[in-house]
Amino acid sequence: MRIAVYPGSFDPITNGHLDIIERAAQLYDEVVVGVAENIRKSPLFSLKDRIRFAGNALAHLKNVRIESFNCLLVEFARRHDAHSIIKGLRAVSDFEHEFQMAQLNRKLDPSIETMFMMASPEYVYLSSSAVKEIAEYGGCLEGLVPPEVEEGLQKSFSR
Ligand code: PNS
């Protein structure tokens, strides 16, 4: 079995994440989406909501599972017998940070390979932070996030 993990905060999951996961699901027998608890990042959405949004948006992919994690990423990968970590790259600006994390993860466990997938052109500008900012100022989120996430964002910022 070729198993990969795709980690992130997913606060919230965007159509850019979904695009990478859908493409990865065609390359691997199983993709485990790892939702980081990330207590230090103080996310907008609770872990429960972030998992629910991802689960509902990915329910059509039978070889994709959603799990939370609160440990080193390599440990999470080992627990799921994964030998690949999938990361999406949008622009050169993503590279430096991702390069550093990939080297650190390789140092921590050389048996786990980080695989980079380029974002599809229509999503290179998209990030969870950007959609939160758009939602905060009442902008249009169509085509950027799944409808359930759009609703969640609107609710969060209408309080
Ligand atoms: O969506 P994000 O916030 O960019 O995801 C970051 C994430 C969760 C992938 C990263 O913070 C991570 O791997 N956390 C797990 C802790 C860990 O293993 N740290 C060492 C790797 S450098």
Side-chain angles (χ1 to χ4, degrees), residues 1-157:
M1 282 272 275
R2 291 166 311 158
I3 304 171
V5 294
Y6 178 63
S9 305
F10 304 111
D11 183 41
I13 198 158
T14 69
N15 288 354
H17 295 127
L18 296 175
D19 172 58
I20 297 280
I21 298 165
E22 280 170 3
R23 286 158 53 203
Q26 292 179 13
L27 299 172
Y28 288 88
D29 296 310
E30 187 167 49
V31 176
V32 184
V33 176
V35 182
E37 289 192 22
N38 266 350
I39 287 149
R40 258 182 292 161
K41 271 201 176 173
S42 51
L44 174 68
F45 291 105
S46 67
L47 179 65
K48 204 170 143 209
D49 282 347
R50 287 181 283 141
I51 290 173
R52 178 167 52 84
F53 291 149
N56 289 340
L58 292 161
H60 61 294
L61 296 175
K62 297 303 161 212
N63 62 337
V64 173
R65 277 192 294 131
I66 322 293
E67 302 282 348
S68 64
F69 74 105
N70 192 14
C71 61
L72 282 177
L73 178 55
V74 289
E75 175 56 31
F76 177 68
R78 281 196 293 261
R79 273 186 213 159
H80 292 281
D81 293 323
H83 289 277
S84 301
I85 293 169
I86 307 278
K87 289 295 189 91
L89 282 183
R90 287 164 299 189
V92 180
S93 50
D94 281 342
F95 181 78
E96 197 166 299
H97 179 59
E98 290 299 342
F99 180 73
Q100 184 192 9
M101 287 207 288
Q103 298 301 338
L104 280 169
N105 284 328
R106 186 203 293 275
K107 171 86 177 67
L108 292 169
D109 190 335
S111 75
I112 299 174
E113 195 69 51
T114 300
M115 307 292 287
F116 290 105
M117 293 179 64
M118 302 310 295
S120 296
E122 60 270 41
Y123 300 123
V124 288
Y125 56 84
L126 188 52
S127 69
S128 298
S129 316
V131 298
K132 282 182 277 194
E133 196 161 309
I134 293 169
E136 189 172 356
Y137 294 108
C140 175
L141 292 164
E142 200 186 323
L144 305 183
V145 291
E148 188 186 22
V149 173
E150 187 172 344
E151 235 170 73
L153 282 164
Q154 282 162 353
K155 244 187 235 164
S156 287
F157 290 111

